[in-house]
Every structure is written in C-alpha cells, then in structure tokens.
Amino acid sequence: MTDEPLVLGIETSCDETGVGIVRGTTLLADALASSVDLHARFGGVVPEVASRAHLEAMVPTMQRALDEAGVTLADVDAIAVTSGPGLAGALLVGVAAAKGYAVAAEKPVYGVNHLAAHVAVDTLEHGPLPEPAIALLVSGGHSSLLLVDDLAGGVTPLGSTIDDAAGEAFDKVARLLGMPFPGGPPIDRAARDGQATIAFPRGLTAAKDQAAHRFDFSFSGLKTAVARWVEARERAGEPVPVNDVAASFQDAVCDVLTAKAIDACRQHGVDTLVIGGGVAANSRLRALAEERAAKVGITVRVPRPKLCTDNGAMVAALGSHLVAAGVRPSRLDLPADSAMPLTLVSV
C-alpha cells in the first residue's frame, strides 16, 4: 500500500473534456473527449458549442478514467477541477460536475489554476519540480513566463502576451495558408519541408522594448506581416511557398519564445526551464529550447506532447501536489473564474 494521495482531476476550460487520475506523481488514467472537430468549420472555438460538448462528454469520460485506473470514486482521496482561467460556460460545467461528485462521494474538492496545472503536469513525467524554476506556458489563449518558487503557494508572473497568444497566431496564420484548425500541427508539419528564409519580425525584441517589455510577448504584428507578405505574392501573381512561409513564421515565434525564456532563467539565476501548454508540442520550439539551454547550462523539461495540450491529468497532478503540501481544500461554493489570476494557484 502507499500513502500517496489518489487524486482525480477534471479539466473543461476550453474545448477538451479531460478526466485524469494520479497517485502521487504516477499517472493512472488520462481520459479525454475533444470537441475540436465541432469548432473546425468556424476556424476557432465557439464557447456555447464547447460548453454543450462538455455536458455531453462529462459522465462517459469520468467512467472511462475510473475504469482505466481500476478504481471507484469512493477510492479517491480528493477531486481537483480547473476553476480558471478559461471560457466561463465551459469552466462552469467542470466546476459543477466536481462539486456534484465531491458531495456524492464525500470528498474534498480543490479548485485550481489552469496555467499552474500546465506546470504541475511535468512532474508526472520528470518527477518533482526543482524550485525555483522558470515556466514558459504557450497555448491558444496564453503566452506567459512565470517564476515558480513554490507551486503550492503561488507563482510570480514575469511576462505575458500583450496581444495575440502564440497558439492564436498559429491558428490565424494556418487559416491564411489554407490549413485546418487548430493551426499548430499543420504548420509544424509543413515547416519540416520548408526553409525559414523569410525575415518575419520578432516582436518586443528591440532595445527600446527591454525596459518595459523584457519578458512580454507580441505576435499580432508577426501575424500581420505574414498576411501582408502572402498578399503581395498573390497580387504579383506569384505562387506562395506555403512550406517556407510556415517554417519562417514558426521560426520567428520559437525564436522569441526561447530567447526570452532563457533570458528569464539567467536573469533570475534559475537552471531549470519547464515548457507547457499546447504549443509546447511544437517540434521546433522543443528543439530550439534544448539547443539554446544546453549552451548556458540550463535543463529543459517538456512533457510528452499528449500532456502538453489540455487534459485532466495535469489538473490531477496539481491537486495531488496541493494535497501532499497540506493545502486546505476549496469551499463548495468555489467559483468558475474566467479571469483567474496567475498568482492564485487554488481557490
């Protein structure tokens, strides 16, 4: 027998219904139901469609996770749920479900921060997280640099996007190039057959940006620059080298992300960089981060691609960490907070 907590995690912040179960830092189940195909024809996530999909998927996804782990709800020590940030309606489905299961099974419930969960999931693959560490979180809704002194107690935001998130830029450029939604995977695949020969801009990297925006990101100008470049080719009647555009755009994004992440590590004397979020599955981002970090003695930790995108396992991982640290459970009136601040790990 083990005294490590058995924790169930529920994730519904966007378009993935996830239920994960962990014991300590050991992953026992990671059940997922995605509504991404329902949103593809709209070129982005439709909140009401996502909320309805969560309602339909919650019970069967919960049962699959319990079956996969070989446990019952009665065996669980605690239930963790994403309380925010995210889409309000989607979050409400998960929070309401967690409350219902917690009351029915007489279990404590922990409302947790979605972004902190993206950091915690790394422990399922690489073990306890060295503290302090720098975390680079990149997804369709977020691009953030965090200083993680104590994951159970809170994180310190160092910088974030001032306009488009990295994943959002991938989606918009993919649409421009005639690729499907979500845009990250098709751009990554196309870039492998292209050359990064087009000099697209690197936002907030000029000397004048260092004082106010040293660790912030901006991808809106890059997205516009790609659109203007493609439009100019089409007006001239010239073919658009899709693979080269994809490679050049991807390289611009990954260049900025990794350069600022390594700079943050050096600035704060930290030798561990954790990368999480859906964009962390990008092959160029992973390779460039490893290459730059190795030159300055920094260790890069990136979960396997399946754990980078939204899932219940990451919520369970953070819940397990909070239980082990002796953090008090949330009240049963815990809210779904679409604008939950990064400084709040749990509510």
Side-chain angles (χ1 to χ4, degrees), residues 27-155:
L27 179 60
L28 303 181
D30 183 21
L32 196 69
S34 176
S35 63
V36 66
D37 290 343
L38 299 177
H39 306 286
R41 68 190 179 100
F42 301 106
V45 177
V46 181
E48 179 57 32
V49 172
S51 300
R52 188 171 296 277
H54 288 309
L55 278 171
E56 296 173 352
M58 180 55 65
V59 172
T61 307
M62 174 66 69
Q63 194 57 56
R64 280 196 292 123
L66 292 170
D67 291 345
E68 184 182 337
V71 300
T72 66
L73 200 58
D75 298 324
V76 170
D77 294 311
I79 296 172
V81 60
T82 296
S83 185
L87 302 175
L91 289 168
L92 279 168
V93 176
V95 169
K99 291 177 181 179
Y101 284 119
V103 170
E106 298 183 331
K107 304 295 180 181
V109 63
Y110 288 81
V112 304
N113 190 302
H114 176 80
L115 299 180
H118 271 302
V119 179
V121 74
D122 182 75
T123 63
L124 301 180
E125 190 141 5
H126 300 117
L129 183 68
E131 294 174 342
I134 293 292
L136 171 64
L137 301 183
V138 276
S139 67
H142 306 279
S143 294
S144 304
L145 272 172
L146 315 173
L147 175 62
V148 185
D149 278 317
D150 175 11
L151 188 54
V155 298

Side-chain angles (χ1 to χ4, degrees), residues 137-144 160-173 175 203-204 216-225 249 253 256-257 279:
L137 301 183
V138 276
S139 67
H142 306 279
S143 294
S144 304
S160 62
T161 182
I162 64 170
D163 42 55
D164 288 354
E168 185 181 1
F170 269 93
D171 292 339
K172 291 177 177 177
V173 169
R175 188 188 316 168
L204 298 183
D216 288 328
F217 304 103
S218 172
F219 297 109
S220 180
L222 169 61
K223 171 203 66 183
T224 302
F249 162 76
V253 173
V256 173
L257 290 172
V279 180

